[in-house]
RNA sequence: GUGGAUGUAGCUCAGUAGGUUAGAGCACCGGAUUGUGGUUCCGGGGGUCGUGGGUUCAAAUCCCAUCAUCCACCCCA
């Protein structure tokens, strides 16, 4: 059988690297300018790190999508399906609650879920994650959203849709779930099969149903927002007023829900108009109970993560200008055997300042220049017996064809002036 | 997990009423052109037609299975 990448995984090829770096660089700049520090947790953790964090209702769904294995020491380990749990574990393990609040942490890298692959949905995918811990203020929720908005804007994304909602505090959710069970329970036989299933596990997910019959029923019901308590409502209003004040456009989604138990109050998603069924670029929200759930000190927090694959898809869809590979500055062409060693040594010195490649065997000028073109070089420099006598190179600007003789001692400075 | 589409050269794709040696464009290599490139012209290499079975005198083509990709659903920490 021919070897190939595992289902749902892919190679990032050399010509694609620059756009990935672009996303990392923009995110890093925006986040670090805001005092967010990078924390890199391991790619795998004890399985309990993830099972503890997700809560019970999600167990069934979530566990079968995790890549878990037993190592040689008999430990049950899991490849991270997301960043939050690992970051929280690190936060607790290193006693970071002692740091001045808020503690802002970001992470990047691959994560793993055993889902059925599709465009924009892979088994190894890549995320940039951000958590702001230690404060309950609405200002922090707004800042988290603002950071994300700034990253997406600087990347050049258009057609962005920011959806904002609130899932309230735990008692509010309990009350709403109770309400849904009562209301939907009465019309159970009119619901789609999928929704009946959801009704058992997580009634709020019925609101997401795409079935038209379900939608008709759901439209008559009260929304999660109708159930949130006074404090959560005040918090929500405050988040909105910050965002308005900062000119960050958003729309209220009164039925926004979260798959996991640990979320409370603010929940948000960023969507992009047209990248197929996987339109969510990012999800995030507040999770005041999480750190405590995981055995740490009571610590409020807000976080988000976005998927790089989907953001790149969205950028392509928007025809955003992405940086291309950095061009090679100079390609050295040895025209006789003696020159091969000369250009190789010359290149070593020049590489302190420029990107320089050379041919590894003798070339006649025609071949050499063709090769320089293919390497994408800005300049080519030819070296043969005449140049050796003069201690020089024939330096050629490939785009214009302009060519001059430059002494080898001055070539670096000449290049620096012209690039 | 459910339903559907697709799979032929490195890439994009032709090629099926089953029938010599499976094609094109791009890319690659060589030559025209041994001290000056990108154009042009000529030539060349590269395929067990995703894989495995089956039907047949004969399969890229028909049937079954399997793997992979894509689309919708599902899920989405």
């Amino acid at each position: 059988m021919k070897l190939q990448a595992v289902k749902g995984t892919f190679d990032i090829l050399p010509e694609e690297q620059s756009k990935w770096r672009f996303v990392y660089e923009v995110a890093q700049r925006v986040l670090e300018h805001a005092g967010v520090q990078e924390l890199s947790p391991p790619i795998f953790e004890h399985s309990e790190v993830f099972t503890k964090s997700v809560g019970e209702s999600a167990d069934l769904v979530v566990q079968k999508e995790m890549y878990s294995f037993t190592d040689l020491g008999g430990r049950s380990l899991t490849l991270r399906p997301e960043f939050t749990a690992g970051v929280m574990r690190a936060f607790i393990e290193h006693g970071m609650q002692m740091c001045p609040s808020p503690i802002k942490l970001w992470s990047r890298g691959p994560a793993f879920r055993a889902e059925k692959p599709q465009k924009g949905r892979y088994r190894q995918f890549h995320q940039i994650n951000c958590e702001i811990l230690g404060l309950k203020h609405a200002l922090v929720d707004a800042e988290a959203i603002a950071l994300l908005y700034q990253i997406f804007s600087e990347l050049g994304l258009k057609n962005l849709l920011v959806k904002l909602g609130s899932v309230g505090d735990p008692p509010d959710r309990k009350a709403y779930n109770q309400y849904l069970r009562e209301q939907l329970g009465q019309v159970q036989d009119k619901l789609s099969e999928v929704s009946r299933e959801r009704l058992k596990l997580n009634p709020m997910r019925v609101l997401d149903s795409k079935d038209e019959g379900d939608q008709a029923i759901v439209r008559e019901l009260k929304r999660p927002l109708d159930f949130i308590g006074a404090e959560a409502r005040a918090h929500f209003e405050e988040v909105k007023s910050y965002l308005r004040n900062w000119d960050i456009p958003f729309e209220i989604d009164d039925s926004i829900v979260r798959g996991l138990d640990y979320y409370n109050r603010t929940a948000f998603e960023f969507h992009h108009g047209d990248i197929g069924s996987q339109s969510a670029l990012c999800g995030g929200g507040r999770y005041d109970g999480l750190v405590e759930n995981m055995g740490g000190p009571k610590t409020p927090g807000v976080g988000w993560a976005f998927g790089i694959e989907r953001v790149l898809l969205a950028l392509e869809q928007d025809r955003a200008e992405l940086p291309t590979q950095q061009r090679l500055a100079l390609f050295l062409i040895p025209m006789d055997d003696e020159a091969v060693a000369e250009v190789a040594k010359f290149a070593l010195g020049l590489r302190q300042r420029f990107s320089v490649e050379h041919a590894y065997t003798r070339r006649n000028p025609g071949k050499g220049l063709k090769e320089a073109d293919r390497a994408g070089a800005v300049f080519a420099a030819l070296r043969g017996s005449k140049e050796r006598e003069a201690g020089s190179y024939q330096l050629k600007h490939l785009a214009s064809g302009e060519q001059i003789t430059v002494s080898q001692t001055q070539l670096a400075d000449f290049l620096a002036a012209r690039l």
Side-chain angles (χ1 to χ4, degrees):
Chain A
M1 184 184 123
K2 209 157 64 167
L3 293 179
Q4 55 183 306
V6 173
K7 179 174 180 157
T9 70
F10 57 93
D11 301 304
I12 305 171
L13 296 171
E15 61 268 26
E16 296 164 331
Q17 292 293 343
S18 55
K19 60 186 184 189
W20 283 76
R21 272 182 214 155
F22 174 58
V23 175
Y24 286 131
E25 278 163 16
V26 168
Q28 174 166 1
R29 188 181 67 243
V30 170
L31 291 169
E32 294 191 348
H33 282 194
V36 186
Q37 295 181 292
E38 183 167 9
L39 186 150
S40 309
I43 283 180
F44 53 88
E45 298 271 356
H46 287 109
S47 299
E48 305 93 274
V49 170
F50 302 113
T51 52
K52 259 192 182 172
S53 73
V54 294
E56 278 159 27
S57 70
D59 264 14
L60 287 170
V61 189
V62 158
Q63 287 205 30
K64 69 178 181 196
E65 294 197 352
M66 297 203 300
Y67 279 103
S68 298
F69 59 96
T70 306
D71 77 354
L72 294 177
R75 287 173 276 261
S76 171
L77 306 179
T78 296
L79 297 181
R80 65 184 178 208
E82 53 133 2
F83 281 81
T84 302
V87 172
M88 293 310 123
R89 193 226 78 231
F91 174 88
I92 296 165
E93 183 169 339
H94 301 291
M96 294 174 80
Q97 74 276 10
M98 303 309 281
C99 300
S101 291
I103 300 134
K104 307 183 195 177
L105 300 166
W106 74 283
S107 310
R108 62 176 136 187
F112 307 83
R113 293 179 199 173
E115 293 185 280
K116 184 157 178 173
Q118 218 172 296
K119 192 174 199 170
R121 186 170 81 176
Y122 303 94
R123 291 183 167 183
Q124 174 175 339
F125 57 100
H126 300 78
Q127 285 192 330
I128 289 180
N129 181 80
C130 176
E131 316 285 352
I132 305 181
L133 293 149
L135 292 180
K136 295 180 79 164
H137 303 87
L139 178 54
V140 177
D141 306 53
E143 183 182 27
I145 293 168
L147 285 171
L148 193 54
Y149 188 76
Q150 193 181 347
I151 291 169
F152 286 169
S153 302
E154 292 197 18
L155 285 171
L157 273 180
K158 300 176 185 71
N159 306 321
L160 263 188
L161 182 60
V162 182
K163 291 186 180 180
L164 182 68
S166 173
V167 296
D169 285 310
D172 308 334
R173 295 176 64 179
K174 216 171 160 185
Y176 186 61
N177 274 327
Q178 182 61 32
Y179 164 79
L180 283 181
R181 283 206 178 85
E182 282 166 13
Q183 296 295 313
L184 292 173
Q186 291 171 16
V187 291
Q188 234 189 85
D189 39 332
K190 289 184 190 157
L191 289 173
S192 68
E193 200 180 323
V194 172
S195 290
R196 276 201 299 274
E197 202 53 39
R198 283 171 170 173
L199 183 56
K200 286 184 217 150
L201 283 173
N202 189 349
M204 281 165 79
R205 301 270 358 254
V206 176
L207 301 184
D208 283 348
S209 174
K210 285 172 187 159
D211 184 274
E212 283 186 25
D214 293 350
Q215 279 301 328
I217 294 168
V218 162
R219 263 195 294 276
E220 305 301 316
L221 299 175
K222 292 185 184 171
R223 321 302 297 182
L225 275 180
D226 298 326
F227 272 75
I228 69 176
E231 281 181 46
R233 176 162 301 283
H235 184 93
F236 185 51
E237 292 303 322
E238 217 181 322
V239 174
K240 289 195 288 188
S241 77
Y242 279 119
L243 293 178
R244 286 198 195 100
N245 189 239
W246 300 342
D247 296 321
I248 293 172
F250 62 90
E251 74 180 39
I252 302 297
D253 187 331
D254 62 4
S255 62
I256 203 162
V257 295
R258 285 279 93 117
L260 298 191
D261 290 344
Y262 58 65
Y263 284 100
N264 69 319
R265 297 196 175 179
T266 310
F268 55 91
E269 289 170 5
F270 282 44
H271 288 255
H272 186 270
D274 202 23
I275 54 171
S277 60
Q278 311 294 317
S279 75
L281 299 178
C282 163
R286 179 165 278 281
Y287 48 77
D288 293 337
L290 178 58
V291 177
E292 202 178 2
N293 275 357
M294 292 182 67
K298 202 167 171 157
T299 310
V302 179
W304 50 251
F306 70 82
I308 298 175
E309 288 83 358
R310 289 187 194 177
V311 166
L312 288 175
L313 272 179
L315 284 169
E316 273 158 38
Q317 201 64 235
D318 283 350
R319 300 224 179 75
E321 288 216 10
L322 295 174
T324 49
Q325 234 162 341
Q326 187 91 50
R327 293 195 63 186
L328 182 67
L330 178 65
F331 190 90
L332 297 168
I333 302 163
M335 292 189 288
D336 57 30
D337 290 332
E338 205 177 334
V340 172
E342 289 170 353
V343 303
K345 183 173 183 190
F346 194 44
L348 290 181
L350 289 171
R351 282 173 181 165
Q352 291 175 0
R353 296 173 67 183
F354 314 103
S355 55
V356 181
E357 285 189 56
H358 59 80
Y360 287 81
T361 54
R362 172 166 51 86
R363 290 280 187 281
N364 64 43
K367 284 273 175 296
L369 288 167
K370 196 169 179 177
E371 202 171 334
D373 259 335
R374 278 202 349 245
V378 180
F379 285 95
L382 297 146
R383 174 79 165 191
S385 56
K386 291 179 200 162
E387 290 76 19
R388 180 151 47 245
E389 276 168 36
S392 68
Y393 278 85
Q394 294 294 327
L395 185 67
K396 182 158 195 153
H397 186 249
L398 288 165
S400 65
E402 186 189 340
Q403 179 172 330
I404 57 162
T405 304
V406 183
S407 138
Q408 61 197 34
T409 53
Q410 287 165 5
L411 193 140
D413 289 334
F414 184 86
L415 266 188
R418 291 287 305 273
L419 280 171

